[in-house]
Amino acid sequence: MLWTRAIPDLDEPQIMHLLQSAEAIRKDYPDEDWLHLTALIHDLGKILLLPQFGQLPQWAVVGDIFPVGCAFDKSNVHYKYFEENPDYKNPNYNTKNGVYYQGCGLNNVLMSFGHDDYMYLVAKENGTTLPSAALFIIRYHSLYRKS
């Protein structure tokens, strides 16, 4: 079961990671119960690895997310594999801003799909009462871009 065993991006069971995240946030922000819940559920999109939810391959679910439609950042995990992507050589996409304009806002940037976006969409489409900050955290918690 996914929640009782380690998955490829962690050395501990997924449930431990979620509980530790929620507890750390609770200690630092004791009056922000929405943030405690956000920490507890932030990785639930990893259920996409399970047969009942499509059994997507690990590379499609777990790992960093990144913007598409612009140059792949060299800080992306396994950057060397991006050279095999047809977009890598597309002149419309291989500049820093690509199809976007500077300052367009993160909500206007198309991101790669993974467990983050899945959980964001599940919460949003089911009428969550979590604040927009919680949805932002869930959606972008695996985005690491240096440039």
Side-chain angles (χ1 to χ4, degrees):
M1 181 68 176
L2 175 70
W3 306 110
T4 59
R5 65 177 170 81
I7 58 173
D9 66 334
L10 295 172
D11 292 328
E12 60 192 29
Q14 186 65 40
I15 190 66
M16 289 303 301
H17 168 65
L18 297 175
L19 291 170
Q20 288 171 345
S21 298
E23 179 59 14
I25 293 294
R26 187 196 62 77
K27 284 181 181 176
D28 289 347
Y29 302 94
D31 298 325
E32 303 293 342
D33 57 350
W34 67 268
L35 195 51
H36 313 160
L37 179 60
T38 302
L40 184 65
I41 68 171
H42 78 278
D43 270 348
L44 289 182
K46 291 179 182 176
I47 63 171
L48 292 171
L49 295 166
L50 299 174
Q52 307 91 304
F53 292 90
Q55 198 168 6
L56 296 181
Q58 184 269 340
W59 63 263
V61 177
V62 179
D64 299 346
I65 61 169
F66 52 89
V68 298
C70 59
F72 298 115
D73 193 273
K74 291 182 179 178
S75 67
N76 287 335
V77 174
H78 303 299
Y79 172 79
K80 64 183 179 184
Y81 297 111
F82 286 95
E83 293 177 8
E84 298 173 24
N85 186 313
D87 290 349
Y88 184 85
K89 295 179 181 76
N90 185 324
N92 295 315
Y93 301 151
N94 64 17
T95 63
K96 179 180 177 182
N97 291 334
V99 299
Y100 310 106
Y101 61 89
Q102 188 72 31
C104 69
L106 196 52
N107 284 334
N108 295 311
V109 175
L110 181 62
M111 304 300 289
S112 61
F113 183 78
H115 73 280
D116 315 67
D117 214 38
Y118 177 77
M119 190 60 211
Y120 160 78
L121 291 170
V122 166
K124 180 182 166 209
E125 297 302 318
N126 285 285
T128 184
T129 57
L130 286 169
S132 60
L135 293 178
F136 186 92
I137 291 167
I138 292 167
R139 190 176 200 184
Y140 298 112
H141 77 270
S142 298
L143 172 62
Y144 307 100
R145 186 163 172 134
K146 293 179 183 177
S147 56

